[in-house]
Amino acid sequence: LSPSRERMITEYILDHLTENLTVFKLSQICCLSRSHFSRAFKRSTGLSPQDWIREKRLQHAKNLIKHTKKTLTEISFECGFCDQAHFCHTFYKSEGVNALAWRYRLSWKDSLNVVGEPLSSAWMLERTLHYETKEREALPLTDGEAIIP
C-alpha cells in the first residue's frame, strides 16, 4: 500500500474498531481487490488485516483492563469482539493467561507492602478466587447494569 492508503485504512480501522470489519469492506475503501489488498496490507504492516485488527483490539482491551473497572463483558464488546468467550480465548492465545488473571496480576503488582515485598500468595489466591466468582456471577441487564446475586 502507498503510505497515504496505509494511513487512510489504518485510521479507518482504528475509528471503526468496535464494528464488524471485513477484508472485503476494507479493500473496497482502498479501491483494490480483496486479495490484492490483503497482500499489500501485509507487505506494508507486516501483519494480515485480520491479525492487525486483532492486535489493535487487544491493545485497546489491555488499556481498558489496566485503567478501568469495567467488566470483561463490557470490555469485549467495546473492543469489537462478538462476545466475552471469543475475547477471552483470543486474549489467552495472545498473552498465555486469561484476561481476569492478567487484571489481577496488575493489581498484585500494585499491592506491594511498604517494604516492597508482595503480599502473601495465599491472600492473593483468595482475592483472585473471590473476584473470579463475582465476575462469573454478574448477570447482565439492560443499559450495562448488572446484578450480583
Side-chain angles (χ1 to χ4, degrees):
L1 293 173
S2 68
S4 61
R5 274 191 177 165
E6 181 183 347
R7 185 174 47 258
M8 175 190 66
I9 200 65
T10 55
E11 286 175 5
Y12 178 86
I13 291 169
L14 293 174
D15 289 343
H16 297 87
L17 207 53
T18 61
E19 299 171 16
N20 182 23
L21 297 168
T22 64
V23 174
F24 180 73
K25 184 176 184 176
L26 298 175
S27 67
Q28 286 181 321
I29 293 168
C30 286
C31 301
L32 298 170
S33 72
R34 191 176 59 91
S35 58
H36 183 71
F37 169 76
S38 291
R39 285 191 304 273
F41 190 91
K42 186 167 185 167
R43 249 191 334 269
S44 296
T45 64
L47 294 170
S48 70
Q50 300 93 333
D51 290 342
W52 197 87
I53 292 168
R54 189 176 307 111
E55 287 296 317
K56 295 304 171 189
R57 285 179 172 162
L58 286 170
Q59 285 176 3
H60 184 53
K62 288 178 194 176
N63 188 45
L64 291 173
I65 289 170
K66 281 182 187 177
H67 302 293
T68 70
K69 298 292 183 192
K70 292 181 179 186
T71 66
L72 295 181
T73 303
E74 292 171 319
I75 291 171
S76 66
F77 287 116
E78 189 171 326
C79 294
F81 290 93
C82 57
D83 58 34
Q84 182 182 349
H86 182 242
F87 165 65
C88 289
H89 177 75
T90 303
F91 193 95
Y92 184 83
K93 279 177 57 177
S94 170
E95 300 302 312
V97 65
N98 70 49
L100 193 59
W102 194 81
R103 171 177 269 171
Y104 292 113
R105 275 191 192 169
L106 293 176
S107 65
W108 179 79
K109 288 178 183 176
D110 293 338
S111 67
L112 295 176
N113 66 23
V114 289
V115 206
E117 295 177 11
L119 297 172
S120 78
S121 57
W123 182 86
M124 287 306 298
L125 177 61
E126 184 265 321
R127 297 311 306 158
T128 301
L129 292 174
H130 170 76
Y131 286 113
E132 282 177 349
T133 303
K134 290 298 181 193
E135 183 84 21
R136 257 187 265 124
E137 291 175 353
L139 301 174
L141 295 175
T142 58
D143 300 322
E145 299 176 349
I147 290 182
I148 300 177

